[in-house]
Amino acid sequence: MPVRLAIEADLDYWLPEPADILLQLEAAALPDQRLDSRALTVWSDHPIAATDGDEGMGQRCWARTQYRLMAQYRATVTVDRVAVDIAALPPTPPRALPGAVIPYLLPSRYCQSDRLEGFVRREFGGLSGGAMAQALLEWTRGALIYRSGVSQGDTTALDTFASRMGVCRDYAHLLVSLARAAEIPARCVGAYAPGVEPPDFHAVVELWLDGAWRLVDPTGMARVEEIVRICVGRDATDIAFMTVFGTAFFQAQRVAVHRLDG
Amino acid sequence: MPVRLAIEADLDYWLPEPADILLQLEAAALPDQRLDSRALTVWSDHPIAATDGDEGMGQRCWARTQYRLMAQYRATVTVDRVAVDIAALPPTPPRALPGAVIPYLLPSRYCQSDRLEGFVRREFGGLSGGAMAQALLEWTRGALIYRSGVSQGDTTALDTFASRMGVCRDYAHLLVSLARAAEIPARCVGAYAPGVEPPDFHAVVELWLDGAWRLVDPTGMARVEEIVRICVGRDATDIAFMTVFGTAFFQAQRVAVHRLDG
Amino acid sequence: MPVRLAIEADLDYWLPEPADILLQLEAAALPDQRLDSRALTVWSDHPIAATDGDEGMGQRCWARTQYRLMAQYRATVTVDRVAVDIAALPPTPPRALPGAVIPYLLPSRYCQSDRLEGFVRREFGGLSGGAMAQALLEWTRGALIYRSGVSQGDTTALDTFASRMGVCRDYAHLLVSLARAAEIPARCVGAYAPGVEPPDFHAVVELWLDGAWRLVDPTGMARVEEIVRICVGRDATDIAFMTVFGTAFFQAQRVAVHRLDG
Amino acid sequence: MPVRLAIEADLDYWLPEPADILLQLEAAALPDQRLDSRALTVWSDHPIAATDGDEGMGQRCWARTQYRLMAQYRATVTVDRVAVDIAALPPTPPRALPGAVIPYLLPSRYCQSDRLEGFVRREFGGLSGGAMAQALLEWTRGALIYRSGVSQGDTTALDTFASRMGVCRDYAHLLVSLARAAEIPARCVGAYAPGVEPPDFHAVVELWLDGAWRLVDPTGMARVEEIVRICVGRDATDIAFMTVFGTAFFQAQRVAVHRLDG
């Protein structure tokens, strides 16, 4: 059953010097998530400019400004998505993967999947396909404790594998790394979702299983039927809601996602 | 004036266990490099399967085998490319970049451009566009010593920035990182070229300047007019000639590129 | 001429769970810095326990507590030290070094001197001894910009070498790394000093030249004649004013160092 | 019952440029290991010079040479050591540790114990002292597969924690890191031992339990009663049999340790 969600996001940052800023704030228009209304306002010295997101999904927006950067996003989105039981999906051998998903098999800066192949082989060696994916999802969820303040912007999946703590970004990086180590293409997804505590931008995961990307939330905080995707990428580098080419200091930030009843 | 090149590449690896192998060995068919003849032979337990390369450039090939993996590539390629004086090209503000090149502005595993912004700003702060690109190219060429055996598969641009030594891969990673730190999109290119000493797969760089990718060789070993591109990507992860999902031991490898006269 | 300094340091941290805390807050009693008065007060659930510092210099103190950790240190110290012109000191070949200084020739976690040998050799290849030390000190001071908020607890000398920015800790790590790469033993020193802006614990460097440790401040903020040493070590790991075996959150912290006239 | 061992070690390296070399090859003379005979021969351009090892244990030796470095060590050692059941030893609170062992509680370059605190707390939270040490030893032995060629000189405990493979050095780094994360001081030990396969320098671990350093071999290859210690340190940096300040290429190396019967 479709779910209607109201999304609000507000950013307020301080830039001591003029800088280019790349924003990824807008819900993507996709078959399983329809934009009923949307408005992005960015206070910027130079006019903002929009471009396509990765994989043709969603939109990026450039701003250039000094001193204060403020952005406000408001949208109403109808999500019409059915959660799939990934455990039942058959394996796809790498040779049968479309070329476009192969980059998501490879290690990336925060998802050093090549370093985790030994662990995956030892602990989950007999599994493949959806059964493997499900096992890795459950392992990640069980092994980690959700805790703010223990990870940073440069925390990698290897760090999280050792610390066993982190936030949604860290859960996503670890699951993506484990999946790639198991030869399952995996990517990070920037998202909005109700139920995220504390409310913030959310990071979830898509796994390529049986010919399609399958959305999962390794933290378990959001229901797959209620996730609004913003953008996808190899890891946090690609899905950052804001990338500053220079220096920016946090002033304030607010994200709110509510279900609209009726 | 077009240049005709004969390319030979032979791989011989030992795989203790069955593994999937992703090969990127084939010269890409592109307007500025025409394939006159080509033959790829892979001795594999399972039939090989080809898919597109990144950015729709070139071809990848999957093999799956145990024990011995042998591959042989032979091609004749006509390169018809004119070197451009990059120093004269005007700057493009980030907001004017096509969406498809934005990923090449972002840091990646081996090209941590975000960490080099401070250096680039301090040393090259007044430059932009082609003048900046040329300055970074010359700096890289002058600062590094070409030496085998000092870098490894996990050597990053930051490592090379400190050690001041490396091979073509390290030169490419450092120039790509510096360019991205200067807000110039930059990508790594896997290539064949005559003049590479010792003869091997080569890694060069493409910089996005004035609306197009511009090929440069930071090592200075190959002439731009004689480089045959295999594939492109964010860093060595994407342009590896061979990615093994498992373990492989080097047995023998040979690359030879010769000019065909007349 | 001796200098009298009044030192005040106050820590206030929050510990969600019981944890062991290692404090290094006390000025060391040494021939060139005399303790006129001192008082350390730690509010801790368990009685505190003192042990020797590294190299027999200074004191460490253990506390164990939950919820709130508060510590207050007050001291009056007379520093009687003459700054030495290090540039004039002769080189010591490694073979002539006492065994006890050899660990300070080796790389450590935040001072990866082995990675910087290439840079030091290329840029400062003809120098040795005090002339080398002076050149590295001046290079570090000139290459870096003092800036808070750009480095973190896990920032290494390699990071700083690339970012060209940081605080006293980063300056110390970089100079120590360059010196070790030049085969000059170097260690980090935790210190109090007037003139540090903003006032805080300070980190400086000791270089082993001509048979003794020579104190230098790579930031240039403190005069060698006014530095009060707390402890020494290989890098920030060893000289941290507080090491928590568990989790602690910053509440408040204050350091003040004043000259006492007359 | 005492064990008599014959030790032979031969090094042969190539140095393209003159370099200082620090060697740690000699069995340490200690109460539980008596040197019956010993001879170290180093072919070096400059006379070699000996200094003390870390913690006053063993000997280091400096050489300086170009082109070929050859070293030969021969010794006969009687080991008279009784293995202790570490599982039965009581815990020591950090506050009761001697100052000299505190550095071995702190993280080091290859033993990033601070990153593994989360894992240790989650998996072994209720244990302490010898019971904790025994659990960590057994976990390390069970979790890792002994395999050459998968780790390198810059492989860290975090890498090994993820790859689940490595050689003696990697086993030692991981156990040392886990122990420090559990607030048990731990150090790496360079050693000779019979039974090491393939024969080579060995790396084992000492844990500080109940007031003394307790020797353990996380690989399980050597019996505690037959290990001959060379030197100790925080990690592989300190216990390297050879540290080159410059570049050296491996030519040949041989280590042999035999039991002398009767």
Side-chain angles (χ1 to χ4, degrees):
Chain A
M1 206 175 77
V3 181
R4 276 191 82 215
L5 299 168
I7 297 168
E8 302 179 7
D10 297 277
L11 306 186
D12 189 348
Y13 282 78
W14 177 259
L15 293 89
E17 294 155 60
D20 294 300
I21 301 117
L22 184 60
L23 296 170
Q24 295 188 111
L25 293 172
E26 300 181 75
L30 295 164
D32 58 357
Q33 54 185 51
R34 194 176 67 241
L35 305 191
D36 301 322
S37 73
R38 53 170 288 268
L40 173 65
T41 314
V42 180
W43 288 263
S44 165
D45 293 349
H46 298 252
I48 66 169
T51 70
D52 292 342
D54 269 0
E55 308 286 331
M57 182 187 292
Q59 289 230 105
R60 294 184 181 106
C61 165
W62 282 102
R64 181 173 178 83
T65 201
Q66 188 177 3
Y67 306 127
R68 192 164 189 188
L69 174 81
M70 295 209 305
Q72 187 189 73
Y73 180 64
R74 299 288 179 271
T76 314
V77 181
T78 300
V79 182
D80 193 356
R81 185 184 299 127
V82 177
V84 173
D85 175 18
I86 63 167
L89 299 174
T92 308
R95 68 183 52 249
L97 296 172
V101 311
I102 291 177
Y104 299 106
L105 264 187
L106 302 177
S108 61
R109 188 180 193 182
Y110 299 119
C111 298
Q112 310 109 310
S113 47
D114 48 345
R115 306 284 190 87
L116 284 158
E117 286 178 11
F119 171 75
V120 169
R121 204 160 295 156
R122 284 219 63 182
E123 299 294 321
F124 304 97
L127 302 175
S128 68
M132 171 65 98
Q134 182 68 29
L136 297 176
L137 174 62
E138 285 170 12
W139 186 88
T140 301
R141 212 171 267 174
L144 301 189
I145 297 173
Y146 196 94
R147 188 170 296 176
S148 301
V150 295
S151 57
Q152 307 168 308
D154 58 0
T155 299
T156 70
L158 277 200
D159 294 328
T160 304
F161 182 66
S163 75
R164 302 288 158 109
M165 287 184 258
V167 293
C168 58
R169 177 188 182 283
D170 305 305
Y171 278 72
H173 282 165
L174 185 51
L175 178 57
V176 162
S177 302
L178 295 170
R180 292 180 190 167
E183 295 186 54
I184 297 170
R187 64 188 188 185
C188 289
V189 181
Y192 294 107
V196 174
E197 266 318 314
D200 203 343
F201 295 101
H202 200 37
V204 293
V205 171
E206 284 185 339
L207 303 170
W208 182 268
L209 290 166
D210 197 30
W213 289 110
R214 312 294 178 169
L215 199 59
V216 297
D217 180 355
T219 69
M221 289 197 299
R223 296 178 56 231
V224 166
E225 297 88 338
E226 296 186 324
I227 292 170
V228 177
R229 285 170 292 169
I230 301 168
C231 54
V232 297
R234 296 195 190 182
D235 60 28
T237 306
D238 294 340
I239 66 163
F241 63 87
M242 181 169 77
T243 304
V244 179
F245 291 84
T247 307
F249 296 101
F250 178 91
Q251 307 264 99
Q253 186 169 303
R254 194 181 69 92
V255 173
V257 182
H258 297 292
R259 294 178 195 93
L260 297 173
D261 301 316
Chain B
M1 207 175 78
V3 183
R4 276 192 79 216
L5 299 167
I7 297 167
E8 302 180 8
D10 298 277
L11 305 186
D12 189 348
Y13 282 78
W14 177 259
L15 293 87
E17 294 154 61
D20 294 300
I21 301 116
L22 183 61
L23 297 169
Q24 295 188 114
L25 293 172
E26 300 181 75
L30 295 165
D32 58 357
Q33 52 184 53
R34 194 176 67 240
L35 305 191
D36 301 323
S37 73
R38 50 170 291 268
L40 173 66
T41 315
V42 180
W43 288 261
S44 165
D45 293 350
H46 298 253
I48 65 169
T51 70
D52 294 339
D54 268 0
E55 306 289 330
M57 182 187 293
Q59 290 229 106
R60 295 184 181 104
C61 164
W62 282 102
R64 180 173 178 82
T65 200
Q66 187 177 6
Y67 308 127
R68 192 165 190 188
L69 173 82
M70 294 210 307
Q72 187 189 73
Y73 179 64
R74 298 288 179 270
T76 314
V77 180
T78 301
V79 181
D80 193 356
R81 183 184 302 128
V82 178
V84 173
D85 175 17
I86 63 166
L89 299 174
T92 308
R95 67 184 53 246
L97 296 172
V101 312
I102 290 177
Y104 299 107
L105 265 187
L106 302 178
S108 63
R109 188 181 193 183
Y110 299 119
C111 297
Q112 310 109 311
S113 47
D114 48 345
R115 306 284 189 90
L116 284 158
E117 286 178 13
F119 171 74
V120 168
R121 204 158 297 158
R122 284 219 64 182
E123 299 295 319
F124 304 96
L127 302 174
S128 68
M132 171 66 97
Q134 183 67 28
L136 296 177
L137 174 62
E138 285 171 13
W139 185 87
T140 302
R141 211 172 268 173
L144 301 189
I145 297 173
Y146 196 94
R147 189 171 293 176
S148 301
V150 295
S151 57
Q152 305 168 309
D154 59 0
T155 299
T156 70
L158 277 201
D159 294 328
T160 303
F161 182 66
S163 75
R164 301 287 158 108
M165 288 185 258
V167 294
C168 59
R169 177 188 182 285
D170 305 305
Y171 278 72
H173 282 164
L174 185 51
L175 178 57
V176 162
S177 303
L178 295 170
R180 291 180 190 167
E183 296 186 54
I184 297 170
R187 61 189 192 186
C188 288
V189 180
Y192 295 108
V196 174
E197 263 321 311
D200 204 343
F201 294 102
H202 200 36
V204 292
V205 171
E206 283 185 339
L207 303 171
W208 181 269
L209 289 166
D210 197 30
W213 288 110
R214 313 295 177 167
L215 200 58
V216 297
D217 180 355
T219 70
M221 289 197 300
R223 296 178 57 233
V224 166
E225 297 87 339
E226 297 186 324
I227 292 169
V228 177
R229 286 171 291 169
I230 301 168
C231 54
V232 296
R234 296 197 190 181
D235 60 28
T237 306
D238 294 339
I239 67 164
F241 63 87
M242 182 170 74
T243 303
V244 179
F245 291 83
T247 307
F249 296 101
F250 178 91
Q251 307 264 100
Q253 186 170 304
R254 193 181 70 90
V255 173
V257 182
H258 296 293
R259 294 179 195 91
L260 297 172
D261 301 316
Chain C
M1 206 175 77
V3 182
R4 277 191 80 214
L5 299 168
I7 297 168
E8 302 180 9
D10 297 276
L11 306 186
D12 188 349
Y13 282 79
W14 177 258
L15 293 88
E17 294 154 60
D20 293 301
I21 301 118
L22 183 61
L23 296 169
Q24 296 187 113
L25 293 173
E26 300 181 74
L30 295 165
D32 58 357
Q33 53 185 53
R34 194 177 67 240
L35 304 191
D36 301 322
S37 73
R38 51 170 290 269
L40 174 65
T41 315
V42 181
W43 288 263
S44 165
D45 293 350
H46 298 251
I48 65 169
T51 70
D52 293 340
D54 269 1
E55 306 288 332
M57 182 188 293
Q59 289 230 105
R60 293 183 181 105
C61 164
W62 282 102
R64 181 173 179 81
T65 200
Q66 188 177 5
Y67 306 127
R68 193 164 189 189
L69 174 80
M70 295 210 304
Q72 186 189 74
Y73 179 64
R74 298 287 179 271
T76 313
V77 181
T78 300
V79 181
D80 193 357
R81 183 184 301 127
V82 178
V84 173
D85 175 17
I86 63 167
L89 299 174
T92 308
R95 67 184 51 249
L97 296 172
V101 312
I102 291 176
Y104 298 107
L105 265 187
L106 302 177
S108 61
R109 188 180 193 183
Y110 299 118
C111 298
Q112 311 109 310
S113 48
D114 49 343
R115 305 284 189 87
L116 284 159
E117 286 179 11
F119 171 74
V120 169
R121 204 160 297 157
R122 285 219 63 184
E123 299 295 320
F124 304 97
L127 301 175
S128 68
M132 172 65 98
Q134 182 68 28
L136 297 176
L137 174 62
E138 285 170 13
W139 186 88
T140 301
R141 211 172 267 174
L144 301 189
I145 297 174
Y146 196 94
R147 190 171 294 177
S148 301
V150 295
S151 57
Q152 306 168 309
D154 59 359
T155 299
T156 71
L158 277 200
D159 295 327
T160 304
F161 183 66
S163 76
R164 302 287 157 110
M165 287 184 260
V167 293
C168 60
R169 178 187 182 283
D170 305 304
Y171 278 73
H173 282 164
L174 185 50
L175 178 57
V176 161
S177 302
L178 295 170
R180 291 180 190 167
E183 296 186 55
I184 297 170
R187 64 189 188 185
C188 288
V189 180
Y192 293 107
V196 174
E197 264 320 312
D200 203 343
F201 294 102
H202 200 36
V204 293
V205 171
E206 284 185 338
L207 303 171
W208 181 267
L209 290 166
D210 196 30
W213 288 110
R214 313 294 177 169
L215 199 58
V216 297
D217 180 355
T219 68
M221 288 198 300
R223 297 177 56 230
V224 166
E225 297 88 338
E226 297 186 324
I227 293 170
V228 177
R229 285 171 291 169
I230 300 168
C231 54
V232 296
R234 296 195 189 184
D235 60 27
T237 306
D238 294 340
I239 67 163
F241 63 87
M242 181 169 77
T243 304
V244 179
F245 291 84
T247 308
F249 295 101
F250 178 92
Q251 306 265 100
Q253 186 169 303
R254 193 181 69 91
V255 174
V257 182
H258 297 293
R259 294 179 196 92
L260 296 172
D261 301 316
Chain D
M1 207 175 77
V3 182
R4 276 191 80 216
L5 299 168
I7 296 167
E8 301 180 8
D10 297 276
L11 306 186
D12 189 347
Y13 282 78
W14 177 259
L15 293 88
E17 294 155 59
D20 294 299
I21 301 116
L22 183 62
L23 296 169
Q24 296 188 112
L25 293 173
E26 300 181 74
L30 295 165
D32 58 356
Q33 53 185 50
R34 193 176 67 240
L35 305 191
D36 301 323
S37 73
R38 51 170 289 268
L40 172 65
T41 314
V42 181
W43 287 263
S44 165
D45 293 349
H46 298 252
I48 64 169
T51 69
D52 295 339
D54 269 359
E55 307 288 331
M57 181 188 293
Q59 290 230 103
R60 295 184 180 105
C61 163
W62 283 101
R64 180 173 178 81
T65 200
Q66 187 177 6
Y67 307 127
R68 193 165 189 188
L69 173 83
M70 295 211 306
Q72 186 189 73
Y73 179 64
R74 299 287 180 271
T76 314
V77 180
T78 300
V79 181
D80 193 356
R81 184 185 300 128
V82 178
V84 173
D85 175 17
I86 63 166
L89 298 175
T92 307
R95 66 185 52 247
L97 296 172
V101 312
I102 291 177
Y104 299 107
L105 265 187
L106 302 178
S108 62
R109 189 180 191 183
Y110 299 119
C111 298
Q112 310 109 309
S113 47
D114 48 345
R115 307 285 189 87
L116 284 158
E117 286 178 13
F119 172 73
V120 169
R121 204 158 297 158
R122 283 219 65 181
E123 298 296 319
F124 304 97
L127 301 175
S128 68
M132 171 67 96
Q134 183 67 29
L136 296 176
L137 174 63
E138 285 170 13
W139 185 87
T140 302
R141 212 172 266 173
L144 301 189
I145 297 173
Y146 195 94
R147 188 171 295 176
S148 301
V150 294
S151 57
Q152 305 168 309
D154 59 359
T155 299
T156 70
L158 277 200
D159 294 329
T160 304
F161 183 67
S163 74
R164 301 287 157 109
M165 289 184 256
V167 294
C168 59
R169 178 188 181 285
D170 304 306
Y171 278 73
H173 282 164
L174 185 50
L175 178 56
V176 162
S177 302
L178 295 170
R180 291 180 190 168
E183 296 185 53
I184 297 170
R187 63 189 191 185
C188 288
V189 181
Y192 294 108
V196 174
E197 263 323 311
D200 204 342
F201 295 102
H202 200 37
V204 293
V205 171
E206 284 185 338
L207 303 171
W208 182 269
L209 290 166
D210 197 29
W213 288 109
R214 314 294 177 167
L215 200 58
V216 297
D217 180 355
T219 70
M221 289 197 300
R223 296 178 56 233
V224 166
E225 297 88 338
E226 296 186 326
I227 292 169
V228 177
R229 285 171 293 169
I230 301 168
C231 54
V232 296
R234 296 197 191 182
D235 60 28
T237 306
D238 294 339
I239 67 164
F241 63 87
M242 182 169 75
T243 303
V244 179
F245 291 83
T247 307
F249 295 103
F250 178 91
Q251 306 264 100
Q253 186 170 304
R254 194 180 69 91
V255 173
V257 182
H258 297 293
R259 293 178 196 91
L260 296 173
D261 301 317

